[in-house]
């Protein structure tokens, strides 16, 4: 924008009239397109929670089996906190139990997942959760690009184990 000065000899009204005439004489440039206000694209968002389904399932005190759940991405604090836990210092294998209890946000209707719940899970489910943790925290997703050995077609497979026998 150009700055205009008003001199004492010329009145303010006269300067405004001259400015309006000069602006009207020029052809107006097309307005710049409005910035895109579309929702963020999928690649711009970060998925922080991932659904899983346990191969066997957690059996609660009433005998109900819980197989579906969610796990969130781990933070640096999640990985550092077990290092000062006395149970982990006494038995380093307990690290995965403490870590999984921190990042599992839901297991069926249970939202308060603690080490006691992870301790009572079957070994196959704990192994599944350890692998699931590794996949979502290192690769950032549960999908893998694969190529068919017969037809050489490329496609994506979800490794989260949605149903029994999948992984």
């Amino acid at each position: 924008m150009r700055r205009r000065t008003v001199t004492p000899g010329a009145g303010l009204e006269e300067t405004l009239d001259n400015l309006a005439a000069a602006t009207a004489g020029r052809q107006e440039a097309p307005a710049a397109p409005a910035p895109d206000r579309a929702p963020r694209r999928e690649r711009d968002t970060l998925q922080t929670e991932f659904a899983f389904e346990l191969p066997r399932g957690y059996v609660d005190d009433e005998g109900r089996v819980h197989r579906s759940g969610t796990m969130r991405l781990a933070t640096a604090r999640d990985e550092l906190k077990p290092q000062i836990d006395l149970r982990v210092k006494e038995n380093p294998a307990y690290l995965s139990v403490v870590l999984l209890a921190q990042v599992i946000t839901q297991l069926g209707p249970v939202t308060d997942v603690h080490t006691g719940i992870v301790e009572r899970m079957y070994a196959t489910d704990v192994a599944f959760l350890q692998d699931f943790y590794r996949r979502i925290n290192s690769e950032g997703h549960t999908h893998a690009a694969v190529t068919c050995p017969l037809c050489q077609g490329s496609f994506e497979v979800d490794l989260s184990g949605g149903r029994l026998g999948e992984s």
Side-chain angles (χ1 to χ4, degrees):
M1 181 172 179
R2 290 176 45 192
R3 184 177 292 202
R4 304 239 184 218
T5 57
V6 178
T7 60
L12 180 59
E13 292 296 324
E14 183 182 347
T15 304
L16 290 174
D17 289 340
N18 291 339
L19 181 60
T23 305
R26 281 187 267 153
Q27 282 190 338
E28 291 188 18
D36 188 16
R37 300 284 185 211
R40 295 180 122 185
R41 285 180 246 140
E42 188 175 318
R43 65 182 175 95
D44 292 341
T45 60
L46 175 64
Q47 182 179 358
T48 59
E49 287 202 347
F50 298 84
F52 63 82
E53 190 155 333
L54 296 173
R56 297 205 185 272
Y58 164 70
V59 181
D60 66 13
D61 294 333
E62 285 93 38
R64 292 180 300 218
V65 178
H66 306 292
R67 296 184 60 212
S68 61
T70 55
M71 181 184 293
R72 67 173 173 79
L73 289 176
T75 63
R77 170 178 250 144
D78 292 327
E79 296 213 353
L80 292 171
K81 192 175 176 182
Q83 301 297 328
I84 60 171
D85 191 302
L86 293 176
R87 298 169 294 186
V88 174
K89 286 184 177 184
E90 291 175 9
N91 182 4
Y94 201 74
L95 176 106
S96 63
V97 172
V98 174
L99 191 54
L100 289 174
Q102 291 180 158
V103 296
I104 297 173
T105 57
Q106 186 172 355
L107 189 56
V110 180
T111 56
D112 180 27
V113 179
H114 50 81
T115 55
I117 290 175
V118 178
E119 287 173 349
R120 293 181 12 215
M121 288 182 178
Y122 294 109
T124 53
D125 289 336
V126 173
F128 168 83
L129 290 169
Q130 288 170 332
D131 184 53
F132 189 71
Y133 174 91
R134 181 191 54 77
R135 279 196 312 250
I136 68 171
N137 285 289
S138 61
E139 288 102 30
H141 55 79
T142 61
H143 296 241
V146 296
T147 304
C148 176
L150 300 174
C151 70
Q152 302 304 315
S154 296
F155 55 96
E156 200 170 81
V157 175
D158 185 2
L159 301 173
S160 64
R163 292 188 307 236
L164 187 60
E166 292 182 355
S167 66

